[in-house]
PDB file of all heavy atoms in Angstrom:
ATOM      1  N   PHE R 189     -28.159 -13.991 -49.358  1.00 98.00           N
ATOM      2  CA  PHE R 189     -28.928 -13.137 -50.209  1.00 98.00           C
ATOM      3  C   PHE R 189     -29.273 -11.894 -49.368  1.00 98.00           C
ATOM      4  O   PHE R 189     -29.310 -11.921 -48.147  1.00 98.00           O
ATOM      5  CB  PHE R 189     -30.165 -13.803 -50.768  1.00 98.00           C
ATOM      6  CG  PHE R 189     -29.964 -14.877 -51.779  1.00 98.00           C
ATOM      7  CD1 PHE R 189     -29.666 -16.196 -51.362  1.00 98.00           C
ATOM      8  CD2 PHE R 189     -29.931 -14.615 -53.154  1.00 98.00           C
ATOM      9  CE1 PHE R 189     -29.460 -17.212 -52.281  1.00 98.00           C
ATOM     10  CE2 PHE R 189     -29.682 -15.573 -54.070  1.00 98.00           C
ATOM     11  CZ  PHE R 189     -29.417 -16.955 -53.633  1.00 98.00           C
ATOM     12  N   ILE R 213     -30.150 -10.785 -55.970  1.00 98.00           N
ATOM     13  CA  ILE R 213     -31.542 -11.019 -56.437  1.00 98.00           C
ATOM     14  C   ILE R 213     -31.910  -9.836 -57.365  1.00 98.00           C
ATOM     15  O   ILE R 213     -31.522  -8.697 -57.061  1.00 98.00           O
ATOM     16  CB  ILE R 213     -32.530 -11.166 -55.339  1.00 98.00           C
ATOM     17  CG1 ILE R 213     -32.268 -12.427 -54.523  1.00 98.00           C
ATOM     18  CG2 ILE R 213     -33.984 -11.163 -55.846  1.00 98.00           C
ATOM     19  CD1 ILE R 213     -33.095 -12.544 -53.267  1.00 98.00           C
ATOM     20  N   ILE R 227     -34.406 -14.903 -59.111  1.00 98.00           N
ATOM     21  CA  ILE R 227     -33.198 -15.400 -58.348  1.00 98.00           C
ATOM     22  C   ILE R 227     -32.282 -15.964 -59.340  1.00 98.00           C
ATOM     23  O   ILE R 227     -32.536 -17.078 -59.849  1.00 98.00           O
ATOM     24  CB  ILE R 227     -33.629 -16.433 -57.328  1.00 98.00           C
ATOM     25  CG1 ILE R 227     -34.636 -15.848 -56.289  1.00 98.00           C
ATOM     26  CG2 ILE R 227     -32.378 -16.960 -56.577  1.00 98.00           C
ATOM     27  CD1 ILE R 227     -35.248 -16.897 -55.379  1.00 98.00           C
ATOM     28  N   ILE R 233     -27.660 -23.131 -56.099  1.00 97.00           N
ATOM     29  CA  ILE R 233     -27.749 -23.149 -54.647  1.00 97.00           C
ATOM     30  C   ILE R 233     -28.345 -24.445 -54.096  1.00 97.00           C
ATOM     31  O   ILE R 233     -28.551 -24.571 -52.898  1.00 97.00           O
ATOM     32  CB  ILE R 233     -28.520 -21.953 -54.094  1.00 97.00           C
ATOM     33  CG1 ILE R 233     -29.984 -21.986 -54.518  1.00 97.00           C
ATOM     34  CG2 ILE R 233     -27.857 -20.622 -54.506  1.00 97.00           C
ATOM     35  CD1 ILE R 233     -30.848 -20.883 -53.895  1.00 97.00           C
ATOM     36  N   VAL R 238     -28.428 -21.696 -47.112  1.00 98.00           N
ATOM     37  CA  VAL R 238     -28.825 -20.349 -47.695  1.00 98.00           C
ATOM     38  C   VAL R 238     -29.358 -19.497 -46.527  1.00 98.00           C
ATOM     39  O   VAL R 238     -30.052 -19.967 -45.653  1.00 98.00           O
ATOM     40  CB  VAL R 238     -29.886 -20.567 -48.808  1.00 98.00           C
ATOM     41  CG1 VAL R 238     -30.453 -19.247 -49.266  1.00 98.00           C
ATOM     42  CG2 VAL R 238     -29.285 -21.315 -49.932  1.00 98.00           C
ATOM     43  N   ALA R 239     -29.049 -18.207 -46.646  1.00 98.00           N
ATOM     44  CA  ALA R 239     -29.633 -17.183 -45.696  1.00 98.00           C
ATOM     45  C   ALA R 239     -30.052 -15.954 -46.488  1.00 98.00           C
ATOM     46  O   ALA R 239     -29.555 -15.669 -47.540  1.00 98.00           O
ATOM     47  CB  ALA R 239     -28.560 -16.844 -44.714  1.00 98.00           C
ATOM     48  N   PHE R 240     -30.973 -15.289 -45.873  1.00 98.00           N
ATOM     49  CA  PHE R 240     -31.488 -13.990 -46.422  1.00 98.00           C
ATOM     50  C   PHE R 240     -31.462 -12.956 -45.437  1.00 98.00           C
ATOM     51  O   PHE R 240     -32.024 -13.109 -44.266  1.00 98.00           O
ATOM     52  CB  PHE R 240     -32.924 -14.186 -47.042  1.00 98.00           C
ATOM     53  CG  PHE R 240     -33.460 -12.899 -47.642  1.00 98.00           C
ATOM     54  CD1 PHE R 240     -33.025 -12.526 -48.969  1.00 98.00           C
ATOM     55  CD2 PHE R 240     -34.404 -12.172 -46.976  1.00 98.00           C
ATOM     56  CE1 PHE R 240     -33.525 -11.376 -49.490  1.00 98.00           C
ATOM     57  CE2 PHE R 240     -34.803 -10.978 -47.547  1.00 98.00           C
ATOM     58  CZ  PHE R 240     -34.425 -10.585 -48.835  1.00 98.00           C
ATOM     59  N   SER R 255     -41.924 -12.632 -50.503  1.00 98.00           N
ATOM     60  CA  SER R 255     -42.051 -13.493 -51.694  1.00 98.00           C
ATOM     61  C   SER R 255     -40.716 -14.260 -51.949  1.00 98.00           C
ATOM     62  O   SER R 255     -40.773 -15.441 -52.272  1.00 98.00           O
ATOM     63  CB  SER R 255     -42.349 -12.576 -52.931  1.00 98.00           C
ATOM     64  OG  SER R 255     -43.612 -11.980 -52.803  1.00 98.00           O
ATOM     65  N   VAL R 256     -39.645 -13.582 -51.757  1.00 98.00           N
ATOM     66  CA  VAL R 256     -38.313 -14.228 -51.871  1.00 98.00           C
ATOM     67  C   VAL R 256     -38.064 -15.249 -50.747  1.00 98.00           C
ATOM     68  O   VAL R 256     -37.574 -16.349 -50.968  1.00 98.00           O
ATOM     69  CB  VAL R 256     -37.197 -13.143 -51.937  1.00 98.00           C
ATOM     70  CG1 VAL R 256     -35.798 -13.897 -51.850  1.00 98.00           C
ATOM     71  CG2 VAL R 256     -37.313 -12.400 -53.214  1.00 98.00           C
ATOM     72  N   ILE R 257     -38.476 -14.808 -49.530  1.00 98.00           N
ATOM     73  CA  ILE R 257     -38.305 -15.656 -48.333  1.00 98.00           C
ATOM     74  C   ILE R 257     -38.985 -16.989 -48.474  1.00 98.00           C
ATOM     75  O   ILE R 257     -38.572 -18.047 -48.064  1.00 98.00           O
ATOM     76  CB  ILE R 257     -38.697 -14.890 -47.057  1.00 98.00           C
ATOM     77  CG1 ILE R 257     -37.670 -13.758 -46.844  1.00 98.00           C
ATOM     78  CG2 ILE R 257     -38.795 -15.779 -45.869  1.00 98.00           C
ATOM     79  CD1 ILE R 257     -38.205 -12.744 -45.758  1.00 98.00           C
ATOM     80  N   TYR R 258     -40.254 -16.893 -49.063  1.00 98.00           N
ATOM     81  CA  TYR R 258     -41.021 -18.148 -49.242  1.00 98.00           C
ATOM     82  C   TYR R 258     -40.477 -18.975 -50.359  1.00 98.00           C
ATOM     83  O   TYR R 258     -40.704 -20.219 -50.436  1.00 98.00           O
ATOM     84  CB  TYR R 258     -42.474 -17.750 -49.471  1.00 98.00           C
ATOM     85  CG  TYR R 258     -43.331 -17.698 -48.214  1.00 98.00           C
ATOM     86  CD1 TYR R 258     -42.945 -16.817 -47.218  1.00 98.00           C
ATOM     87  CD2 TYR R 258     -44.430 -18.507 -48.065  1.00 98.00           C
ATOM     88  CE1 TYR R 258     -43.744 -16.777 -46.053  1.00 98.00           C
ATOM     89  CE2 TYR R 258     -45.219 -18.452 -46.886  1.00 98.00           C
ATOM     90  CZ  TYR R 258     -44.901 -17.549 -45.891  1.00 98.00           C
ATOM     91  OH  TYR R 258     -45.622 -17.479 -44.774  1.00 98.00           O
ATOM     92  N   ALA R 259     -39.779 -18.340 -51.321  1.00 98.00           N
ATOM     93  CA  ALA R 259     -39.348 -19.057 -52.537  1.00 98.00           C
ATOM     94  C   ALA R 259     -38.027 -19.804 -52.275  1.00 98.00           C
ATOM     95  O   ALA R 259     -37.875 -20.993 -52.769  1.00 98.00           O
ATOM     96  CB  ALA R 259     -39.172 -18.135 -53.707  1.00 98.00           C
ATOM     97  N   LEU R 260     -37.103 -19.214 -51.547  1.00 98.00           N
ATOM     98  CA  LEU R 260     -35.735 -19.810 -51.349  1.00 98.00           C
ATOM     99  C   LEU R 260     -35.765 -21.201 -50.773  1.00 98.00           C
ATOM    100  O   LEU R 260     -35.056 -22.087 -51.265  1.00 98.00           O
ATOM    101  CB  LEU R 260     -34.885 -18.900 -50.508  1.00 98.00           C
ATOM    102  CG  LEU R 260     -34.320 -17.610 -51.249  1.00 98.00           C
ATOM    103  CD1 LEU R 260     -33.766 -16.677 -50.212  1.00 98.00           C
ATOM    104  CD2 LEU R 260     -33.434 -18.000 -52.366  1.00 98.00           C
ATOM    105  N   PRO R 261     -36.579 -21.549 -49.718  1.00 98.00           N
ATOM    106  CA  PRO R 261     -36.509 -22.839 -49.165  1.00 98.00           C
ATOM    107  C   PRO R 261     -36.981 -24.004 -50.098  1.00 98.00           C
ATOM    108  O   PRO R 261     -36.645 -25.189 -49.946  1.00 98.00           O
ATOM    109  CB  PRO R 261     -37.451 -22.797 -47.976  1.00 98.00           C
ATOM    110  CG  PRO R 261     -37.536 -21.313 -47.617  1.00 98.00           C
ATOM    111  CD  PRO R 261     -37.405 -20.620 -48.932  1.00 98.00           C
ATOM    112  N   LYS R 262     -37.656 -23.588 -51.197  1.00 97.00           N
ATOM    113  CA  LYS R 262     -38.177 -24.551 -52.114  1.00 97.00           C
ATOM    114  C   LYS R 262     -37.173 -24.951 -53.221  1.00 97.00           C
ATOM    115  O   LYS R 262     -37.526 -25.748 -54.100  1.00 97.00           O
ATOM    116  CB  LYS R 262     -39.483 -24.085 -52.780  1.00 97.00           C
ATOM    117  CG  LYS R 262     -40.653 -23.917 -51.749  1.00 97.00           C
ATOM    118  CD  LYS R 262     -41.878 -23.483 -52.466  1.00 97.00           C
ATOM    119  CE  LYS R 262     -43.084 -23.412 -51.568  1.00 97.00           C
ATOM    120  NZ  LYS R 262     -44.366 -23.058 -52.219  1.00 97.00           N
ATOM    121  N   LEU R 263     -35.999 -24.390 -53.205  1.00 98.00           N
ATOM    122  CA  LEU R 263     -35.037 -24.581 -54.233  1.00 98.00           C
ATOM    123  C   LEU R 263     -34.073 -25.735 -53.860  1.00 98.00           C
ATOM    124  O   LEU R 263     -32.888 -25.689 -54.233  1.00 98.00           O
ATOM    125  CB  LEU R 263     -34.248 -23.314 -54.506  1.00 98.00           C
ATOM    126  CG  LEU R 263     -35.132 -22.127 -55.057  1.00 98.00           C
ATOM    127  CD1 LEU R 263     -34.260 -20.916 -55.264  1.00 98.00           C
ATOM    128  CD2 LEU R 263     -35.824 -22.551 -56.335  1.00 98.00           C
ATOM    129  N   PHE R 264     -34.530 -26.678 -53.130  1.00 97.00           N
ATOM    130  CA  PHE R 264     -33.743 -27.864 -52.706  1.00 97.00           C
ATOM    131  C   PHE R 264     -32.463 -27.470 -51.975  1.00 97.00           C
ATOM    132  O   PHE R 264     -31.375 -28.099 -52.217  1.00 97.00           O
ATOM    133  CB  PHE R 264     -33.481 -28.735 -53.949  1.00 97.00           C
ATOM    134  CG  PHE R 264     -34.663 -29.291 -54.611  1.00 97.00           C
ATOM    135  CD1 PHE R 264     -35.282 -28.602 -55.681  1.00 97.00           C
ATOM    136  CD2 PHE R 264     -35.249 -30.454 -54.170  1.00 97.00           C
ATOM    137  CE1 PHE R 264     -36.412 -29.089 -56.246  1.00 97.00           C
ATOM    138  CE2 PHE R 264     -36.421 -30.969 -54.762  1.00 97.00           C
ATOM    139  CZ  PHE R 264     -36.993 -30.313 -55.819  1.00 97.00           C
ATOM    140  N   ILE R 265     -32.569 -26.558 -51.121  1.00 98.00           N
ATOM    141  CA  ILE R 265     -31.364 -26.106 -50.289  1.00 98.00           C
ATOM    142  C   ILE R 265     -31.272 -26.947 -49.024  1.00 98.00           C
ATOM    143  O   ILE R 265     -32.243 -27.499 -48.582  1.00 98.00           O
ATOM    144  CB  ILE R 265     -31.457 -24.606 -49.958  1.00 98.00           C
ATOM    145  CG1 ILE R 265     -32.680 -24.295 -49.149  1.00 98.00           C
ATOM    146  CG2 ILE R 265     -31.444 -23.788 -51.270  1.00 98.00           C
ATOM    147  CD1 ILE R 265     -32.809 -22.845 -48.737  1.00 98.00           C
ATOM    148  N   PHE R 268     -32.218 -23.135 -44.403  1.00 98.00           N
ATOM    149  CA  PHE R 268     -32.563 -21.751 -44.669  1.00 98.00           C
ATOM    150  C   PHE R 268     -32.617 -20.947 -43.405  1.00 98.00           C
ATOM    151  O   PHE R 268     -33.165 -21.357 -42.391  1.00 98.00           O
ATOM    152  CB  PHE R 268     -33.897 -21.608 -45.394  1.00 98.00           C
ATOM    153  CG  PHE R 268     -34.296 -20.166 -45.744  1.00 98.00           C
ATOM    154  CD1 PHE R 268     -33.495 -19.399 -46.520  1.00 98.00           C
ATOM    155  CD2 PHE R 268     -35.424 -19.597 -45.193  1.00 98.00           C
ATOM    156  CE1 PHE R 268     -33.798 -18.137 -46.856  1.00 98.00           C
ATOM    157  CE2 PHE R 268     -35.764 -18.287 -45.494  1.00 98.00           C
ATOM    158  CZ  PHE R 268     -34.963 -17.565 -46.330  1.00 98.00           C
ATOM    159  N   SER R 305     -37.259 -26.247 -45.586  1.00 97.00           N
ATOM    160  CA  SER R 305     -36.289 -26.676 -46.521  1.00 97.00           C
ATOM    161  C   SER R 305     -35.937 -28.152 -46.313  1.00 97.00           C
ATOM    162  O   SER R 305     -36.513 -28.791 -45.466  1.00 97.00           O
ATOM    163  CB  SER R 305     -34.952 -25.851 -46.371  1.00 97.00           C
ATOM    164  OG  SER R 305     -34.343 -26.079 -45.114  1.00 97.00           O
TER     165      SER R 305
END
Side-chain angles (χ1 to χ4, degrees):
F189 291 87
I213 293 173
I227 302 172
I233 64 173
V238 174
F240 180 76
S255 300
V256 171
I257 290 168
Y258 269 59
L260 285 171
K262 295 183 177 181
L263 297 178
F264 297 94
I265 60 178
F268 181 60
S305 65

